[in-house]
Amino acid sequence: MRVEPISPERLAALVADRAAGIAEGGAPWVRVAVDGAAAARPDALADALVDPLRLRGHPVLRVSAADFLRPASIRLEYGRHDADAFHDLWLDDGALLREVLAPLDPGGSGRVLPSLRDAAADRATRAPYVELAPGGVLVLDGPLLLGRWLPFELTVHLAMGPAALARRTPPDEQWTLPAFARYAEETRPGELADLTVKTDDPRHPALLTG
């Protein structure tokens, strides 16, 4: 496995080029997943893709998996700090598929719900549907996204070693670490992703190739 240092700006340009190439290859829409623990800052990379993609002529819709969590009654059924529930139950992948990803299938409507639920308030956001024009790119960020049979044209996994993840995870979120260890062992996201990026220090990413 080769490790190739890359600046955050070059990384965003590389991912944007890949996504634009897929769109220009004839895909009606391109669905990009930026997968990683919060400590790896998948949101920052996802945000950094917006302007480069628009400069390449593609409309962009940013969506966060954090806005598609199940109700607290389901998420917290086994307590507030259950790592297996965090791994298995927190993400409402059915709603994410139905409201965000499936409408961007070939022949889909392009009509996407950008958010479903405010997890902190535990209520619906009541966000209106938006139309993503053909040739547009959906950029989704969040943890534990791969291995769920969700359809994406491009996936990026931000990998962190266990020590770096533990060091960069806040004390009140340390209980999630077993979920990420299980994800690494069972799902092997680095093998599933189209691009895997080592982000032990998110300010200094490195592409993993070979």
Side-chain angles (χ1 to χ4, degrees):
M1 183 71 68
R2 280 195 314 153
V3 179
E4 177 186 338
I6 186 170
S7 69
E9 295 77 16
R10 283 183 55 220
L11 176 61
L14 172 65
V15 177
D17 281 343
R18 288 277 190 100
I22 295 169
E24 289 152 16
W29 293 279
V30 179
R31 297 163 290 193
V32 179
V34 182
D35 170 66
R41 297 301 313 275
D43 57 332
L45 176 56
D47 288 343
L49 298 177
V50 174
D51 286 345
L53 283 165
R54 287 178 176 160
L55 286 172
R56 288 160 174 79
H58 298 281
V60 182
L61 178 62
R62 271 286 284 118
V63 174
S64 175
D67 295 322
F68 284 84
L69 301 184
R70 288 190 169 94
S73 60
I74 296 174
R75 295 197 320 271
L76 308 180
E77 181 180 359
Y78 301 100
R80 292 185 175 273
H81 301 129
D82 188 285
D84 285 330
F86 178 69
H87 183 283
D88 296 336
L89 299 176
W90 278 43
L91 180 65
D92 192 342
D93 41 10
L96 191 60
L97 176 63
R98 181 179 67 250
E99 303 290 0
V100 179
L101 300 173
L104 304 181
D105 282 338
S109 67
R111 186 170 179 265
V112 173
L113 186 67
S115 67
L116 176 66
R117 183 170 291 106
D118 179 335
D122 195 32
R123 64 186 179 207
T125 62
R126 302 186 185 279
Y129 285 87
V130 298
E131 299 276 347
L132 183 60
V137 180
L138 170 82
V139 182
L140 172 73
D141 76 281
L144 311 172
L145 293 177
L146 305 184
R148 295 176 177 268
W149 303 102
L150 295 174
F152 299 106
E153 281 66 48
L154 181 62
T155 54
V156 183
H157 173 60
L158 303 183
M160 299 188 86
L165 180 58
R167 185 171 64 250
R168 292 183 178 276
T169 298
D172 62 344
E173 296 177 12
Q174 292 278 315
W175 63 271
T176 63
L177 295 178
F180 289 108
R182 180 181 162 197
Y183 185 56
E185 180 180 353
E186 295 181 4
T187 302
R188 298 183 177 274
E191 298 175 13
L192 294 180
D194 298 302
L195 291 169
T196 297
V197 184
K198 186 175 178 62
T199 53
D200 285 357
D201 182 344
R203 298 168 299 177
H204 302 286
L207 281 175
L208 300 181
T209 60

